[in-house]
Amino acid sequence: MSALLSVNELSRSFGGIKAVAGVGLSVDQGEIVGLVGPNGAGKTTLFNLITGTLKPDAGQVVFGGRRLVAGEPGANARLGLARSFQQATTIADLSVRAHLERAAVFPALGRPSFLLRRSAVMAVRERAAATVQEILVFAGLDRVAEESADALPYGLQKILGVAMALATGPKMLLADEPAAGLNGAETLVMEALLRRIRDTRGIALMVIEHDVPLVMRLSDRIVALAHGTVIAEGKPAEVRADRAFIEAYLGGEADFGAASGPEGEAHAA
Amino acid sequence: MLQVLIGAAAAALAALPFLASDAFLYHVAILIGIEALLALSLHLTLRIGQLSLAQAAFMGMGAYASALLTRDLSLPFPAAFLAAVLIPAAIAAVLGTVILKVRGVHFALLTFVLGQAVVLIFVEFVVPFGGNNGLMRIPGAEIAGLPLQSRPAFYALTLVVLGAAFAVVARLVRGETGRILDGLAANEALTQSLGIDALAWRRLVFAVSGGVAGAAGSLYAHYLGYISPEAFGITATINALIMNVVGGVALLAGPLIGAVILVPLPELFRSALLYQQLFYGLSLLALMLFMPRGLGGLVVARRHAR
Amino acid sequence: MFQQFLVVLGLTAAIYMLLALGFTLIFGIMRVVNFAHGEFVMLGAYAVYVLQDVVGLDYFVALPLAALLVGLAGVLAEILIFRRFTGDELGSMIVALALAVSLKGAVTVIFGVEGPPISRAITGAVEIGGTLLPKDQLFAAAVAVLAVAATHLLMTRSRLGLAMRAVAQAPDVARLQGISPWRTYPAAFAIGCFLAGLAGALTAPLYSIEPHMGDAALMRAFVVVVLGGLGSIPGALIAAFVLGAVDAGMSILFNPTIAALTSFGIVIAVLIARPAGILGRA
């Protein structure tokens, strides 16, 4: 089976520092890949390069057989490459349902040229309500559907972030630290949701996560980054035993079994 | 209910010059319309979170295009007006591709310099722009042989143009496209991740803002009959900004409210022309400090309170 | 011809540096784009006119006094106006524009649309290397260089300067170390506006004064600061020479309008390619 996403020799520097240096990896259809590494390893930069938020200095990203255009995250999202963010993200003071409605309709509106092809957009609009309702139930947000997203507990806001990505109808979801800042119970809910996304919808996942036990449980395959390069790759058990991975992690942060990484703590503070 | 009242009040206000049929009232009303168009174009750039200080320059492009096409190339007014809308819009679209990537303070600086550069181009290239003296003897407006030079007719024309511009802008900032623009303003990264091309939408808004400013320029040129570069400098843009702040930056009607309040004052008190800048400046300062949502913000606040 | 070019370049670059320094200082420390900077320059010019030609003070007394008064006006502007817009880029820009329009309007109302004639305290010329140099221009350039050097020392050596730079780089960290932005911000405005006022007071006798003279001053400061990078003092110094060279060169070869257009073109290109400026931090 050919890979859904393949990343070749991707590089990007900021002011002389190589944040991502020649990274290559691939994700198959319906696969869950965990992306781990100490802070500053280049994980979020890699996500931004894949989605097109950042332009790479070198290298390319192929998704679903198409070469993605750097610098156009909107176009790439419309191809089915969705992402959720490290921080909980909301669009202003709107209800949960309104957020999901936007997520369901926006991909059809992408560029101003939609003003010229109304019939196609009408079809999406008609389907949107049903899509939103289905996602609300799927993500367990149906009971808070009419509440303001800004007023939700942090854990539900992060669930909403994943649900919005889901509402765009993606083939693949890049989740940036979905469990960061969540308590134990919330983390379990998030884990179950991510697993169901793959199991019932066949959507491939790439997950950045500092909660190593979580990512090891969840992933089919682990890619470990340090200093912008891939230092280990393989099944969770293999990577866990890998010397380079242990050294990078112990060198980067002492407590690699902790429930949440430093970013999570900073957020809780 | 409130909206009906406001609509009725606006209609009554717009009809006032026809009822009073006073030449001076027509004159002031036409100026309000032209200034409101410029303020509306600035309002659009504020809606995409960018303070463009080049809007008067776009108005200038429209004014010069319309004047030169009718006077030197004998094009009919409707064709020249269309060109006066499309040329600044096209220039804004092309420029926008490059300059809209620049954000925040730097965008304001960039458009400030750009606006000044456009004015200098009008000054420097005497052919065809007439240098510091500008252009004289611009033909009056005329549609299909029907002259619109008389003040009532020109006021009607101004109303039509203003109404059309408001309709286009309302279409853009409300409904589905409004949701996209609000999303981009509130959380750009998230909105882009949902499949929206931020630059393409910003460019569309910027192009429309250029076109609206160009329409203001065309009306201005054919109403006064002469134009000169300094009318399109930074002061005109700042006045438009003041109208937005006075009327309420977050309101579509803000530019119109601001123009209705601010434009008549220097015209009513001829001797007050000397005090115009001080008055404009102090009112902007006071509003920014004590009423940042503008006078229109009072209405919105009351609507929310209910 | 070339010698003349170099001399004109040296004199204009010194003034440009002074014009830009206060502007870039205020942005660097407070992230405020002071659109009223040109009006503070204008206030300096009118202050020296009032002190010299109305009150009757000697120019050499009126000059520092005018700059001090403008510095004081800057402190007032910070406390009464800009403080409320800390961290609000758009708001602080709009309020600065409002202040600029108000000051212009106030000066127009008090002194009229045409500026008053100002007497020249320094006359005559000296010959250096075969070129005749007006003494007043030499004096202005020399004071400008001294003021720039003094500001540099103040920013790098004094406790106040270090505190201001600490606030600029990391306001939160600075606060933890007991440096209050509420003390450093007025200080930044005081110095920035003092320098603007000094520039106005120095150049007032060289050119005519009028309410709109600040526009040209602001444009110059703008161009220099954008080229050098907003907030960067060394950048401003280098950019002043670049702009001076473009201005002097294009004015001699073509005319001042072409010179201005050229420098605007460079600024636009730089802003698009590298918004942080040639030497600015990204």
Side-chain angles (χ1 to χ4, degrees):
Chain A
M1 184 164 62
S2 74
L4 175 64
L5 173 80
S6 58
V7 170
N8 305 313
E9 290 297 315
L10 215 52
S11 297
R12 170 73 197 225
S13 318
F14 296 106
I17 297 160
K18 285 196 165 179
V20 170
V23 168
L25 56 81
S26 70
V27 179
D28 285 337
Q29 228 119 35
E31 190 183 22
I32 301 182
V33 173
L35 192 61
V36 298
N39 283 326
K43 301 182 300 289
T44 298
T45 303
L46 181 60
F47 264 26
N48 287 336
L49 289 171
I50 293 173
T51 57
T53 311
L54 282 175
K55 283 188 181 177
D57 298 328
Q60 56 179 356
V61 180
V62 178
F63 178 70
R66 291 176 67 156
R67 199 177 153 178
L68 297 188
V69 182
E72 294 193 2
N76 297 338
R78 294 197 295 279
L79 290 173
L81 187 63
R83 81 174 291 180
S84 70
F85 293 85
Q86 196 172 325
Q87 282 83 27
T89 44
T90 54
I91 310 173
D93 184 22
L94 293 168
S95 72
V96 169
R97 189 186 296 277
H99 272 85
L100 289 173
E101 271 165 7
R102 280 161 174 70
V105 178
F106 276 4
L109 308 184
R111 295 175 67 85
S113 57
F114 99 80
L115 297 165
L116 304 174
R117 42 181 177 79
R118 311 202 69 107
S119 59
V121 178
M122 279 307 285
V124 174
R125 237 176 252 158
E126 274 161 23
R127 261 188 320 210
T131 308
V132 168
Q133 191 55 40
E134 191 264 329
I135 301 266
L136 278 170
V137 175
F138 182 84
L141 291 170
D142 45 335
R143 262 177 296 175
V144 293
E146 312 311 328
E147 283 177 35
S148 162
D150 282 344
L152 292 183
Y154 191 70
L156 286 181
Q157 283 187 354
K158 291 206 69 162
I159 296 269
L160 174 61
V162 173
M164 284 171 77
L166 217 50
T168 63
K171 297 189 185 79
M172 178 169 182
L173 169 62
L174 305 178
D176 194 348
E177 299 200 31
L182 303 190
N183 64 31
E186 289 169 339
T187 302
L188 289 177
V189 173
M190 180 62 83
E191 181 183 347
L193 175 64
L194 294 174
R195 208 185 294 281
R196 266 187 299 130
I197 288 173
R198 191 271 302 271
D199 292 350
T200 66
R201 296 175 170 250
I203 293 171
L205 289 171
M206 184 143 80
V207 182
I208 295 178
E209 194 44 72
H210 272 291
D211 183 341
V212 174
L214 165 66
V215 78
M216 293 287 176
R217 283 198 303 274
L218 188 65
S219 306
D220 303 317
R221 199 150 53 83
I222 298 284
V223 173
L225 284 187
H227 304 296
T229 56
V230 176
I231 53 160
E233 187 179 350
K235 296 225 173 331
E238 295 164 11
V239 170
R240 208 199 307 257
D242 191 287
R243 282 232 64 82
F245 168 70
I246 294 168
E247 268 168 31
Y249 239 95
L250 290 179
E253 57 193 61
D255 181 18
F256 88 89
S260 60
E263 282 110 318
E265 282 158 26
H267 218 102
Chain B
M1 184 59 197
L2 190 67
Q3 271 176 340
V4 175
L5 275 179
I6 291 172
L13 205 61
L16 190 63
F18 290 122
L19 300 174
S21 193
D22 173 62
F24 181 68
L25 201 55
Y26 276 125
H27 172 70
V28 172
I30 290 166
L31 290 185
I32 289 175
I34 292 170
E35 290 293 326
L37 280 169
L38 183 62
L40 185 64
S41 85
L42 188 75
H43 175 83
L44 272 177
T45 77
L46 292 174
R47 280 300 277 258
I48 51 171
Q50 306 269 59
L51 171 58
S52 164
L53 296 175
Q55 293 313 107
F58 287 124
M59 178 178 171
M61 291 176 201
Y64 275 92
S66 202
L68 289 171
L69 289 173
T70 49
R71 194 191 71 168
D72 296 356
L73 297 180
S74 308
L75 240 61
F77 168 74
F81 178 80
L82 198 64
V85 173
L86 293 181
I87 290 171
I91 291 175
V94 172
L95 276 177
T97 305
V98 186
I99 68 173
L100 287 169
K101 287 175 189 157
V102 179
R103 307 302 307 274
V105 181
H106 293 103
F107 183 81
L109 296 184
L110 182 55
T111 48
F112 181 90
V113 176
L114 214 54
Q116 300 286 57
V118 169
V119 171
L120 279 186
I121 287 172
F122 292 149
V123 171
E124 176 62 23
F125 295 95
V126 179
V127 178
F129 300 120
N132 269 318
N133 296 328
L135 300 174
M136 314 261 207
R137 289 191 300 279
I138 300 166
E142 185 187 279
I143 295 176
L146 184 74
L148 301 172
Q149 274 128 307
S150 75
R151 283 185 171 177
F154 202 90
Y155 176 57
L157 173 69
T158 307
L159 270 186
V160 169
V161 173
L162 187 62
F166 259 94
V168 169
V169 172
R171 171 75 185 80
L172 206 53
V173 303
R174 289 186 178 154
E176 207 108 65
T177 50
R179 285 183 195 171
I180 294 170
L181 299 181
D182 290 343
L184 285 174
N187 192 337
E188 177 170 347
L190 176 61
T191 306
Q192 279 187 307
S193 81
L194 301 176
I196 296 295
D197 281 350
L199 185 62
W201 281 100
R202 287 219 176 84
R203 186 170 51 207
L204 174 73
V205 173
F206 196 53
V208 173
S209 92
V212 171
S218 176
L219 291 181
Y220 179 86
H222 293 283
Y223 178 61
L224 292 184
Y226 66 89
I227 48 175
S228 60
E230 83 265 21
F232 309 112
I234 183 71
T235 312
T237 304
I238 294 175
N239 286 347
L241 175 65
I242 296 173
M243 284 166 208
N244 271 287
V245 175
V246 168
V249 175
L251 276 182
L252 179 57
L256 191 56
I257 298 172
V260 168
I261 293 171
L262 287 175
V263 175
L265 288 161
E267 299 293 329
L268 285 177
F269 310 102
R270 273 284 152 197
S271 61
L273 210 53
L274 185 66
Y275 293 86
Q276 182 192 355
Q277 276 210 311
L278 183 60
F279 174 77
Y280 272 28
L282 287 179
S283 48
L284 177 58
L285 210 51
L287 277 165
M288 284 298 291
L289 289 174
F290 306 116
M291 210 190 286
R293 293 207 296 178
L295 296 177
L298 292 177
V299 179
V300 177
R302 283 198 41 201
R303 206 185 312 172
H304 276 286
R306 284 192 305 163
Chain C
M1 181 86 161
F2 186 65
Q3 218 165 14
Q4 183 201 348
F5 168 77
L6 281 184
V7 171
V8 173
L9 167 59
L11 295 178
T12 44
I15 298 291
Y16 286 1
M17 265 183 219
L18 187 61
L19 277 177
L21 193 57
F23 186 77
T24 206
L25 203 72
I26 289 174
F27 182 83
I29 292 164
M30 302 179 59
R31 317 302 291 176
V32 167
V33 178
N34 186 10
F35 274 97
H37 187 75
E39 276 58 46
F40 285 105
V41 173
M42 183 262 296
L43 282 187
Y46 274 86
V48 91
Y49 159 76
V50 169
L51 292 170
Q52 183 191 239
D53 293 286
V54 180
V55 178
L57 293 178
D58 190 72
Y59 178 69
F60 299 100
V61 180
L63 177 69
L65 212 54
L68 277 175
L69 283 175
V70 177
L72 199 66
V75 175
L76 286 180
E78 199 282 328
I79 293 172
L80 295 177
I81 300 168
F82 287 99
R83 178 164 297 181
R84 302 189 193 204
F85 295 90
T86 309
D88 174 6
E89 278 190 350
L90 190 64
S92 64
M93 274 194 285
I94 295 177
V95 89
L97 285 169
L99 183 62
V101 177
S102 306
L103 290 176
K104 240 183 275 186
V107 167
T108 311
V109 167
I110 299 169
F111 297 98
V113 181
E114 307 265 321
I118 186 164
S119 52
R120 308 174 75 139
I122 309 168
T123 49
V126 285
E127 201 186 307
I128 299 176
T131 324
L132 214 54
L133 291 177
K135 279 188 194 162
D136 52 359
Q137 287 199 22
L138 267 179
F139 174 75
V143 174
V145 170
L146 277 178
V148 170
T151 310
H152 179 71
L153 283 179
L154 184 73
M155 291 306 290
T156 50
R157 298 287 158 80
S158 76
R159 284 191 51 179
L160 178 66
L162 292 177
M164 284 196 281
R165 290 196 300 164
V167 169
Q169 269 153 19
D172 298 334
V173 179
R175 197 169 298 148
L176 287 179
Q177 293 174 337
I179 302 168
S180 163
W182 307 127
R183 230 168 298 159
T184 47
Y185 286 173
F189 251 88
I191 299 169
C193 294
F194 174 87
L195 293 170
L198 185 64
L202 274 177
T203 50
L206 304 183
Y207 314 106
S208 58
I209 64 175
E210 45 105 10
H212 289 275
M213 64 181 287
D215 296 354
L218 178 67
M219 280 318 292
R220 299 254 156 73
F222 247 23
V223 174
V224 168
V225 166
V226 167
L227 287 183
L230 271 172
S232 158
I233 293 177
L237 301 190
I238 295 169
F241 268 99
V242 174
L243 176 67
V246 170
D247 244 20
M250 298 305 273
S251 296
I252 291 170
L253 291 176
F254 301 100
N255 65 44
T257 312
I258 294 284
L261 267 177
T262 310
S263 57
F264 288 177
I266 297 172
V267 166
I268 292 166
V270 168
L271 270 174
I272 289 168
R274 263 189 76 101
I278 294 169
L279 294 166
R281 287 169 288 150

